[in-house]
Amino acid sequence: MVQPSPDKIERLRHALEEYESGNAGGGLIDAEAEEAKAAVRSRALGLLDQRARSRKELHDRLVAAEFEPDVVEAVLDDLAGVGLIDDESFAREWVRQRHVRRGKSARALNLELKEKGVASEDRAAALEQVTEDSEEAIACHIAAKKARTLKSVPEDRHERDKFLRRIVGTLARRGYNQSLTMRVSIEALDARIAELS
């Protein structure tokens, strides 16, 4: 076992005495810096308690709350160091939940993650969960659900096209591409009209 030098032992003893006497500035712990970090840490943990967030989201919220940017960065580094901030995990969970529960397309999810400051490699890894088959299945489900709101057979082509635009709009807002959107919307509307006939 390596023994610390007498000089190092003396410095540690002196720092401990200063800390115990409440005069820790320049010692082992900077009390003022720790106090500033404590307020930022408390706010950051409160935000993370509501839902998972990306590092950029937390940074922007904390700076908007008028905390010093350098203190915010130090706290975010600490939180990342203990695994409370992890953009890769955040992106995977974001995609998983919003693709299945909200019916968002890969394109829409990529844009959302980009706005949240998630790096392109983390976005790409998270979006691997979304397949063409899963996108089509979810788009079909959304289109069929919207088509079920049609209560009677449209009287003419104009009324039919008006309802088709509603289904298309529902899918377009979730970021689905035009060809998939048109195909599944027409299929869902035709199936609903057949049910009602």
Side-chain angles (χ1 to χ4, degrees):
M1 181 170 154
V2 178
Q3 294 292 323
S5 68
D7 182 48
K8 189 171 190 175
I9 292 172
E10 186 56 36
R11 283 196 320 252
L12 288 170
R13 184 176 292 130
H14 179 69
L16 184 59
E17 288 170 2
E18 281 193 8
Y19 176 72
E20 288 175 346
S21 69
N23 186 20
L28 291 174
I29 298 174
D30 182 345
E32 191 174 309
E34 281 304 310
E35 189 175 315
K37 284 174 73 174
V40 175
R41 188 178 301 110
S42 175
R43 178 70 68 89
L45 291 173
L47 290 168
L48 287 170
D49 193 40
Q50 296 169 3
R51 70 168 176 82
R53 296 174 192 270
S54 69
R55 182 180 178 115
K56 182 184 181 304
E57 277 185 286
L58 281 174
H59 178 273
D60 293 350
R61 291 287 298 267
L62 294 169
V63 169
E66 300 185 1
F67 290 113
E68 291 296 320
D70 56 333
V71 177
V72 168
E73 282 300 321
V75 168
L76 295 179
D77 287 343
D78 292 347
L79 295 175
V82 296
L84 291 176
I85 301 174
D86 179 353
D87 280 359
E88 184 180 351
S89 295
F90 167 77
R92 270 195 317 271
E93 188 60 18
W94 184 266
V95 167
R96 187 185 68 75
Q97 288 187 11
R98 291 181 69 83
H99 179 57
V100 174
R101 292 186 185 160
R102 300 267 179 103
K104 297 281 185 146
S105 69
R107 192 177 95 209
L109 292 166
N110 186 49
L111 288 173
E112 289 177 356
L113 290 171
K114 188 175 184 179
E115 288 172 5
K116 293 181 178 309
V118 176
S120 61
E121 56 274 4
D122 291 338
R123 292 194 316 264
L127 290 167
E128 287 176 2
Q129 301 171 77
V130 180
T131 65
E132 284 183 28
D133 290 343
S134 71
E135 274 203 333
E136 183 164 344
I138 290 171
C140 287
H141 174 75
I142 293 167
K145 183 177 177 183
K146 184 67 176 176
R148 283 192 298 274
T149 64
L150 180 66
K151 299 302 178 195
S152 61
V153 175
E155 292 179 14
D156 58 21
R157 181 73 179 193
H158 175 72
E159 192 176 324
R160 182 187 184 281
D161 288 349
K162 181 179 171 183
F163 200 81
L164 179 62
R165 282 193 300 274
R166 289 182 187 160
I167 300 171
V168 167
T170 300
L171 291 171
R173 284 189 293 279
R174 288 174 169 83
Y176 290 96
N177 70 53
Q178 188 175 6
S179 63
L180 175 64
T181 295
M182 285 305 296
R183 181 170 52 80
V184 301
S185 296
I186 290 168
E187 289 170 2
L189 182 56
D190 287 347
R192 179 61 177 163
I193 290 171
E195 279 177 16
L196 295 170
S197 297

